[in-house]
Amino acid sequence: MSTAPRRVPAALALPAAVAVAFLLVPLAGVLAHAPWGSLAGRLTAPAVREALGLSVVVSAWALLLSLLLGVPLAWVLARVDFPGKPLVRVLVMLPMVLPPTVAGVALLQGFGRRGLLGGALEDWFGVALPFSTAGAVVAAAFVSLPFLVISLEGALAGLHPRYEETAASLGASPLRAFFTVTVPMVGPGLVAGAALCWARALGEFGATITFAGNLPGTTQTLPLQVYLLLQNDPAGAVAVSLLLLVVATAVLVALRGRWLGPAASRTPAAAARDGDAQEPQPGPRDPHPAAGEARAAADADAGGAGGGGR
């Protein structure tokens, strides 16, 4: 059923256009002033290549740390009611709104040599996080973890618990049901959260320079290289900024087109309730029969509930 295009009032269209221009002009400025003629040479300079390699390493380890900690946390927030749950949600979101330098100071007070846990880490395990690559990883994970947790918690909240309950009734342990039923069904949300988490870790600056410093080859990632180049080589700073801009744009475009569209956010149960669930396509045999039966049984229950309602 087609609908006529909605007429946008001028009182709303004009501010909306100004908002788009407000966001677009700085980015267009990067493109307009990029040193296109010497771009390849600037991006392959030894210092930039070193910073790029370190950024990839730091962001990858930050993503791994975020997955190890964030996936269980997202599941607990989505599935378990416990005292203080709103406070935990606030704690998860806090790094997103903290000024980056404040996040770095907080990391120093927590994991620095004289921090709450920093001294114990150094005395017991010989681990000194400040001004080290490991410190850069911790800083990147601290500010990027919320992106993973929030995205995955939303996906888990949209998945009816009947799938996990049915898997448990068929003999699957909670951990097996989580990995064979829950994780595949919230895959789009997990991938989207992981991509946003990685992109945020790749672009981290304030917490890193405050907690880990700006040491070439150790903690000097691409954003810190941009800061350094801006003082001595503004054109080089624009070139590296363009690289980060392209990476961030590519991540968002990929997520919007494949993982964050309307179809990707719908669960099989929702499709069954709407009466438009597609016939299952033949595929390889499920290596976890209990999990496969759980998904089939839960979908059947959802379809029956939807049919009964009609």
Side-chain angles (χ1 to χ4, degrees), residues 22-23 64 73 99 138 140 147 150 154 165 168 178-180 183 212 220 222 224 227-228 230 232 241 246 272-273:
F22 175 73
L23 297 173
L64 179 61
L73 177 57
V138 170
F147 292 86
I150 292 173
E165 295 167 358
F178 175 76
F179 282 110
T180 60
V183 170
Q220 191 178 93
L222 277 180
L224 276 68
Y227 175 74
L228 185 65
L230 195 58
N232 306 315
S241 299
V246 169
R273 285 195 299 270

mmCIF file of all heavy atoms in Angstrom, residues 22-23 64 73 99 138 140 147 150 154 165 168 178-180 183 212 220 222 224 227-228 230 232 241 246 272-273:
data_model
loop_
_atom_site.group_PDB
_atom_site.id
_atom_site.type_symbol
_atom_site.label_atom_id
_atom_site.label_comp_id
_atom_site.label_asym_id
_atom_site.label_seq_id
_atom_site.Cartn_x
_atom_site.Cartn_y
_atom_site.Cartn_z
ATOM 1 N N PHE A 22 25.362 21.915 9.042
ATOM 2 C CA PHE A 22 26.240 22.057 10.203
ATOM 3 C C PHE A 22 27.132 20.831 10.363
ATOM 4 O O PHE A 22 28.323 20.940 10.721
ATOM 5 C CB PHE A 22 25.371 22.267 11.453
ATOM 6 C CG PHE A 22 26.147 22.308 12.728
ATOM 7 C CD1 PHE A 22 26.924 23.398 13.058
ATOM 8 C CD2 PHE A 22 26.096 21.237 13.610
ATOM 9 C CE1 PHE A 22 27.642 23.423 14.246
ATOM 10 C CE2 PHE A 22 26.804 21.260 14.795
ATOM 11 C CZ PHE A 22 27.588 22.354 15.121
ATOM 12 N N LEU A 23 26.585 19.633 10.109
ATOM 13 C CA LEU A 23 27.361 18.401 10.221
ATOM 14 C C LEU A 23 28.240 18.167 8.997
ATOM 15 O O LEU A 23 29.313 17.565 9.099
ATOM 16 C CB LEU A 23 26.412 17.212 10.406
ATOM 17 C CG LEU A 23 25.562 17.227 11.672
ATOM 18 C CD1 LEU A 23 24.548 16.085 11.649
ATOM 19 C CD2 LEU A 23 26.437 17.130 12.922
ATOM 20 N N LEU A 64 38.612 -7.237 21.654
ATOM 21 C CA LEU A 64 38.595 -8.554 22.298
ATOM 22 C C LEU A 64 38.260 -8.431 23.777
ATOM 23 O O LEU A 64 37.439 -9.194 24.303
ATOM 24 C CB LEU A 64 39.955 -9.232 22.107
ATOM 25 C CG LEU A 64 40.108 -10.611 22.751
ATOM 26 C CD1 LEU A 64 39.095 -11.597 22.172
ATOM 27 C CD2 LEU A 64 41.534 -11.132 22.563
ATOM 28 N N LEU A 73 27.978 -9.069 30.273
ATOM 29 C CA LEU A 73 27.300 -7.961 30.943
ATOM 30 C C LEU A 73 26.002 -7.601 30.234
ATOM 31 O O LEU A 73 24.973 -7.350 30.887
ATOM 32 C CB LEU A 73 28.228 -6.750 31.002
ATOM 33 C CG LEU A 73 27.645 -5.476 31.621
ATOM 34 C CD1 LEU A 73 27.154 -5.726 33.037
ATOM 35 C CD2 LEU A 73 28.689 -4.351 31.604
ATOM 36 N N PRO A 99 33.941 13.595 29.663
ATOM 37 C CA PRO A 99 35.008 14.190 28.847
ATOM 38 C C PRO A 99 36.175 13.214 28.759
ATOM 39 O O PRO A 99 36.533 12.585 29.763
ATOM 40 C CB PRO A 99 35.385 15.458 29.624
ATOM 41 C CG PRO A 99 34.179 15.779 30.450
ATOM 42 C CD PRO A 99 33.561 14.456 30.803
ATOM 43 N N VAL A 138 43.644 -0.572 27.483
ATOM 44 C CA VAL A 138 42.669 -0.372 28.563
ATOM 45 C C VAL A 138 41.891 0.917 28.352
ATOM 46 O O VAL A 138 40.664 0.956 28.525
ATOM 47 C CB VAL A 138 43.389 -0.372 29.925
ATOM 48 C CG1 VAL A 138 42.445 0.084 31.039
ATOM 49 C CG2 VAL A 138 43.933 -1.758 30.240
ATOM 50 N N ALA A 140 41.286 2.476 25.492
ATOM 51 C CA ALA A 140 40.385 2.311 24.354
ATOM 52 C C ALA A 140 39.188 1.439 24.723
ATOM 53 O O ALA A 140 38.049 1.724 24.326
ATOM 54 C CB ALA A 140 41.135 1.707 23.173
ATOM 55 N N PHE A 147 29.473 0.939 23.753
ATOM 56 C CA PHE A 147 28.853 0.782 22.444
ATOM 57 C C PHE A 147 28.466 -0.668 22.191
ATOM 58 O O PHE A 147 27.404 -0.947 21.626
ATOM 59 C CB PHE A 147 29.805 1.277 21.349
ATOM 60 C CG PHE A 147 30.024 2.759 21.366
ATOM 61 C CD1 PHE A 147 30.999 3.332 22.173
ATOM 62 C CD2 PHE A 147 29.244 3.587 20.580
ATOM 63 C CE1 PHE A 147 31.192 4.705 22.199
ATOM 64 C CE2 PHE A 147 29.431 4.965 20.592
ATOM 65 C CZ PHE A 147 30.405 5.517 21.406
ATOM 66 N N ILE A 150 25.464 -1.677 24.954
ATOM 67 C CA ILE A 150 24.153 -1.085 24.664
ATOM 68 C C ILE A 150 23.531 -1.714 23.427
ATOM 69 O O ILE A 150 22.342 -2.035 23.395
ATOM 70 C CB ILE A 150 24.292 0.440 24.510
ATOM 71 C CG1 ILE A 150 24.648 1.054 25.860
ATOM 72 C CG2 ILE A 150 22.999 1.050 23.975
ATOM 73 C CD1 ILE A 150 24.979 2.529 25.788
ATOM 74 N N GLY A 154 20.177 -4.269 23.618
ATOM 75 C CA GLY A 154 18.962 -4.012 22.864
ATOM 76 C C GLY A 154 18.544 -5.199 22.021
ATOM 77 O O GLY A 154 17.354 -5.526 21.933
ATOM 78 N N GLU A 165 14.515 -20.868 27.004
ATOM 79 C CA GLU A 165 13.758 -21.768 27.872
ATOM 80 C C GLU A 165 13.464 -23.090 27.172
ATOM 81 O O GLU A 165 13.544 -24.167 27.775
ATOM 82 C CB GLU A 165 12.460 -21.085 28.301
ATOM 83 C CG GLU A 165 12.685 -19.846 29.165
ATOM 84 C CD GLU A 165 11.425 -19.006 29.325
ATOM 85 O OE1 GLU A 165 10.387 -19.382 28.712
ATOM 86 O OE2 GLU A 165 11.473 -17.992 30.041
ATOM 87 N N ALA A 168 16.584 -25.159 27.071
ATOM 88 C CA ALA A 168 16.838 -25.768 28.374
ATOM 89 C C ALA A 168 15.925 -26.970 28.606
ATOM 90 O O ALA A 168 16.349 -27.997 29.151
ATOM 91 C CB ALA A 168 16.651 -24.727 29.479
ATOM 92 N N PHE A 178 23.159 -20.529 25.316
ATOM 93 C CA PHE A 178 23.603 -19.175 25.022
ATOM 94 C C PHE A 178 24.409 -19.145 23.719
ATOM 95 O O PHE A 178 24.183 -18.295 22.858
ATOM 96 C CB PHE A 178 24.449 -18.642 26.178
ATOM 97 C CG PHE A 178 25.062 -17.297 25.921
ATOM 98 C CD1 PHE A 178 24.297 -16.147 25.990
ATOM 99 C CD2 PHE A 178 26.412 -17.184 25.611
ATOM 100 C CE1 PHE A 178 24.852 -14.905 25.744
ATOM 101 C CE2 PHE A 178 26.977 -15.945 25.364
ATOM 102 C CZ PHE A 178 26.203 -14.806 25.437
ATOM 103 N N PHE A 179 25.348 -20.071 23.574
ATOM 104 C CA PHE A 179 26.239 -20.038 22.408
ATOM 105 C C PHE A 179 25.586 -20.597 21.148
ATOM 106 O O PHE A 179 25.950 -20.196 20.046
ATOM 107 C CB PHE A 179 27.524 -20.808 22.707
ATOM 108 C CG PHE A 179 28.496 -20.038 23.560
ATOM 109 C CD1 PHE A 179 28.743 -20.411 24.871
ATOM 110 C CD2 PHE A 179 29.143 -18.923 23.056
ATOM 111 C CE1 PHE A 179 29.634 -19.696 25.660
ATOM 112 C CE2 PHE A 179 30.029 -18.197 23.842
ATOM 113 C CZ PHE A 179 30.276 -18.588 25.142
ATOM 114 N N THR A 180 24.648 -21.529 21.279
ATOM 115 C CA THR A 180 24.072 -22.156 20.087
ATOM 116 C C THR A 180 22.701 -21.601 19.703
ATOM 117 O O THR A 180 22.260 -21.813 18.569
ATOM 118 C CB THR A 180 23.934 -23.677 20.304
ATOM 119 O OG1 THR A 180 23.066 -23.928 21.422
ATOM 120 C CG2 THR A 180 25.291 -24.310 20.558
ATOM 121 N N VAL A 183 23.294 -16.475 20.871
ATOM 122 C CA VAL A 183 24.290 -15.708 20.106
ATOM 123 C C VAL A 183 23.972 -15.700 18.610
ATOM 124 O O VAL A 183 24.001 -14.625 17.976
ATOM 125 C CB VAL A 183 25.707 -16.250 20.377
ATOM 126 C CG1 VAL A 183 26.711 -15.635 19.405
ATOM 127 C CG2 VAL A 183 26.123 -15.948 21.815
ATOM 128 N N ALA A 212 47.907 6.856 28.934
ATOM 129 C CA ALA A 212 49.017 6.090 28.364
ATOM 130 C C ALA A 212 50.090 6.961 27.730
ATOM 131 O O ALA A 212 51.149 6.450 27.348
ATOM 132 C CB ALA A 212 48.478 5.098 27.325
ATOM 133 N N GLN A 220 51.431 5.856 20.677
ATOM 134 C CA GLN A 220 51.059 6.891 19.711
ATOM 135 C C GLN A 220 50.239 6.288 18.574
ATOM 136 O O GLN A 220 50.762 5.853 17.558
ATOM 137 C CB GLN A 220 52.295 7.589 19.141
ATOM 138 C CG GLN A 220 51.962 8.834 18.339
ATOM 139 C CD GLN A 220 53.209 9.524 17.826
ATOM 140 O OE1 GLN A 220 53.646 9.271 16.718
ATOM 141 N NE2 GLN A 220 53.789 10.401 18.655
ATOM 142 N N LEU A 222 46.890 6.540 15.722
ATOM 143 C CA LEU A 222 46.615 7.503 14.656
ATOM 144 C C LEU A 222 46.033 8.825 15.163
ATOM 145 O O LEU A 222 46.454 9.901 14.709
ATOM 146 C CB LEU A 222 45.682 6.876 13.614
ATOM 147 C CG LEU A 222 46.345 6.003 12.546
ATOM 148 C CD1 LEU A 222 45.292 5.462 11.591
ATOM 149 C CD2 LEU A 222 47.401 6.790 11.776
ATOM 150 N N LEU A 224 46.523 10.315 17.948
ATOM 151 C CA LEU A 224 47.611 11.061 18.566
ATOM 152 C C LEU A 224 48.599 11.551 17.514
ATOM 153 O O LEU A 224 49.200 12.627 17.653
ATOM 154 C CB LEU A 224 48.319 10.192 19.617
ATOM 155 C CG LEU A 224 47.677 10.164 21.012
ATOM 156 C CD1 LEU A 224 46.327 9.450 20.981
ATOM 157 C CD2 LEU A 224 48.597 9.477 22.013
ATOM 158 N N TYR A 227 47.230 14.735 16.142
ATOM 159 C CA TYR A 227 47.505 15.845 17.065
ATOM 160 C C TYR A 227 48.938 16.338 16.914
ATOM 161 O O TYR A 227 49.202 17.548 16.898
ATOM 162 C CB TYR A 227 47.246 15.375 18.498
ATOM 163 C CG TYR A 227 47.596 16.376 19.565
ATOM 164 C CD1 TYR A 227 46.794 17.492 19.782
ATOM 165 C CD2 TYR A 227 48.732 16.205 20.353
ATOM 166 C CE1 TYR A 227 47.118 18.414 20.775
ATOM 167 C CE2 TYR A 227 49.063 17.125 21.333
ATOM 168 C CZ TYR A 227 48.250 18.228 21.537
ATOM 169 O OH TYR A 227 48.580 19.139 22.506
ATOM 170 N N LEU A 228 49.877 15.404 16.769
ATOM 171 C CA LEU A 228 51.272 15.781 16.615
ATOM 172 C C LEU A 228 51.514 16.472 15.277
ATOM 173 O O LEU A 228 52.209 17.500 15.198
ATOM 174 C CB LEU A 228 52.155 14.541 16.740
ATOM 175 C CG LEU A 228 53.667 14.762 16.727
ATOM 176 C CD1 LEU A 228 54.084 15.563 17.951
ATOM 177 C CD2 LEU A 228 54.409 13.425 16.692
ATOM 178 N N LEU A 230 49.406 18.101 13.509
ATOM 179 C CA LEU A 230 48.711 19.385 13.420
ATOM 180 C C LEU A 230 49.611 20.541 13.845
ATOM 181 O O LEU A 230 49.426 21.676 13.398
ATOM 182 C CB LEU A 230 47.454 19.339 14.298
ATOM 183 C CG LEU A 230 46.404 20.423 14.075
ATOM 184 C CD1 LEU A 230 45.911 20.419 12.627
ATOM 185 C CD2 LEU A 230 45.242 20.230 15.036
ATOM 186 N N ASN A 232 53.035 20.595 13.391
ATOM 187 C CA ASN A 232 54.178 20.764 12.505
ATOM 188 C C ASN A 232 53.848 20.600 11.023
ATOM 189 O O ASN A 232 54.530 21.167 10.165
ATOM 190 C CB ASN A 232 55.274 19.754 12.873
ATOM 191 C CG ASN A 232 55.674 19.825 14.335
ATOM 192 O OD1 ASN A 232 55.866 20.913 14.866
ATOM 193 N ND2 ASN A 232 55.771 18.680 14.985
ATOM 194 N N SER A 241 43.608 12.432 9.041
ATOM 195 C CA SER A 241 42.205 12.611 9.423
ATOM 196 C C SER A 241 41.284 12.057 8.350
ATOM 197 O O SER A 241 40.241 11.466 8.659
ATOM 198 C CB SER A 241 41.902 14.098 9.650
ATOM 199 O OG SER A 241 42.688 14.618 10.699
ATOM 200 N N VAL A 246 37.336 8.088 6.498
ATOM 201 C CA VAL A 246 36.907 7.048 5.560
ATOM 202 C C VAL A 246 36.581 5.751 6.310
ATOM 203 O O VAL A 246 35.566 5.095 6.035
ATOM 204 C CB VAL A 246 37.986 6.808 4.494
ATOM 205 C CG1 VAL A 246 37.687 5.552 3.684
ATOM 206 C CG2 VAL A 246 38.097 8.015 3.568
ATOM 207 N N ALA A 272 6.708 -14.166 12.844
ATOM 208 C CA ALA A 272 5.583 -15.091 12.931
ATOM 209 C C ALA A 272 4.316 -14.382 13.387
ATOM 210 O O ALA A 272 3.227 -14.634 12.888
ATOM 211 C CB ALA A 272 5.923 -16.233 13.892
ATOM 212 N N ARG A 273 4.490 -13.446 14.346
ATOM 213 C CA ARG A 273 3.319 -12.714 14.821
ATOM 214 C C ARG A 273 2.726 -11.857 13.714
ATOM 215 O O ARG A 273 1.523 -11.668 13.636
ATOM 216 C CB ARG A 273 3.712 -11.836 16.018
ATOM 217 C CG ARG A 273 3.914 -12.595 17.296
ATOM 218 C CD ARG A 273 3.936 -11.642 18.479
ATOM 219 N NE ARG A 273 5.021 -10.679 18.363
ATOM 220 C CZ ARG A 273 6.235 -10.882 18.841
ATOM 221 N NH1 ARG A 273 6.520 -12.021 19.441
ATOM 222 N NH2 ARG A 273 7.166 -9.951 18.718
#
